[in-house]
Amino acid sequence: MTSTGDGRQAHRISGNTRWLVVMCICQLFIMLVFINYSAVLPCCARSGP
Amino acid sequence: MSNTQAGMIFSVYQLGYIVSGVILSTLTDRMNTRFIFISAAFWSAAANLLFALYAHDFTSGMILRALTGIGMGGTYMPGLKLVAERFDPSTRGRAIGIYVGSLVLGASLSLAFTGWLTGIAGWRTAFICCSVSVCIGALISCFLFRGYRPLVRVRTEAGFSG
């Protein structure tokens, strides 16, 4: 009974870890827009906008 | 465009980010957080794409960048809430730390990736690629949050349960 409970908990932790990794990957993709304007600021200041 | 105008476009983005962060974070108490997160991500992708395609002067640049900031504000705190809801208090701190770390890493990559691509293909192409990247992230999150049910918290004398 205890081992089943432990196994279930381990499985859940593993599932949550996997979920968090995918969530972090999502954010990595989404955050590419975050300060992209700063990277092109010199170009924009020269030629607009 | 003057340096001041170029800087103002950046500032108005931050302003949109702050305002939407406050409003959309508050809305997560009343609406499905998953919906807010995904909608905000697609919104910022669309606004960033419009910036790449149609920003030709100071005014258009400022409006479109503000719209991008509004979208980005809806991904940070709602995302944090989704992580907090997913993990038990015993592991929540570590999970949030990892999540915030990925946010900061993403912000750093934003500069590096856009700067690198601008040197190769020009800033408009770089912005379009960033929008595509946001769409990929939002699509992955659609699958990730499948079956998500908001936690129902009951207010007691000692505070909120759950």
Side-chain angles (χ1 to χ4, degrees):
Chain A
M1 195 68 175
T2 309
S3 63
T4 308
D6 288 348
R8 200 174 295 160
Q9 192 179 357
H11 180 71
R12 183 174 156 73
I13 289 168
S14 161
N16 276 350
T17 305
R18 209 167 35 237
W19 184 90
L20 184 62
V21 168
V22 179
M23 179 69 178
C24 289
I25 291 168
C26 280
Q27 277 295 346
L28 279 179
F29 277 112
I30 290 170
M31 288 298 281
L32 281 191
V33 159
F34 188 62
I35 42 175
N36 59 355
Y37 178 71
S38 302
V40 301
L41 208 53
C43 298
C44 292
R46 258 199 319 271
S47 58
Chain B
M1 190 165 65
S2 69
N3 290 339
T4 308
Q5 286 176 323
M8 276 179 72
I9 292 176
F10 184 78
S11 299
V12 83
Y13 165 84
Q14 297 288 358
L15 192 66
Y17 183 81
I18 292 165
V19 170
S20 82
V22 172
I23 294 171
L24 295 177
S25 299
T26 308
L27 276 179
T28 59
D29 293 332
R30 291 163 178 78
M31 288 174 66
N32 192 317
T33 312
R34 175 184 67 166
F35 174 74
I36 292 174
F37 181 93
I38 294 170
S39 306
F42 277 120
W43 174 289
S44 56
N48 190 68
L49 182 66
L50 289 173
F51 186 92
L53 299 175
Y54 299 110
H56 293 290
D57 56 13
F58 172 61
T59 310
S60 60
M62 209 158 80
I63 292 168
L64 293 170
R65 201 60 193 155
L67 291 175
T68 310
I70 288 169
M72 287 306 289
T75 58
Y76 178 47
M77 291 308 287
L80 207 58
K81 190 185 177 207
L82 288 164
V83 174
E85 282 183 349
R86 176 88 185 187
F87 286 84
D88 296 329
S90 60
T91 54
R92 191 172 293 157
R94 186 177 55 187
I96 287 176
I98 293 168
Y99 172 73
V100 172
S102 78
L103 285 173
V104 177
L105 181 64
S108 310
L109 286 176
S110 170
L111 277 175
F113 177 77
T114 312
W116 170 73
L117 208 54
T118 298
I120 295 172
W123 73 266
R124 290 191 191 273
T125 308
F127 266 53
I128 291 168
C129 290
C130 286
S131 282
V132 171
S133 154
V134 176
C135 284
I136 293 170
L139 285 173
I140 296 172
S141 66
C142 286
F143 290 102
L144 186 67
F145 303 146
R146 215 173 22 184
Y148 164 79
R149 293 279 178 277
L151 277 182
V152 178
R153 293 176 189 276
V154 180
R155 189 165 196 173
T156 63
E157 281 182 17
F160 284 98
S161 68

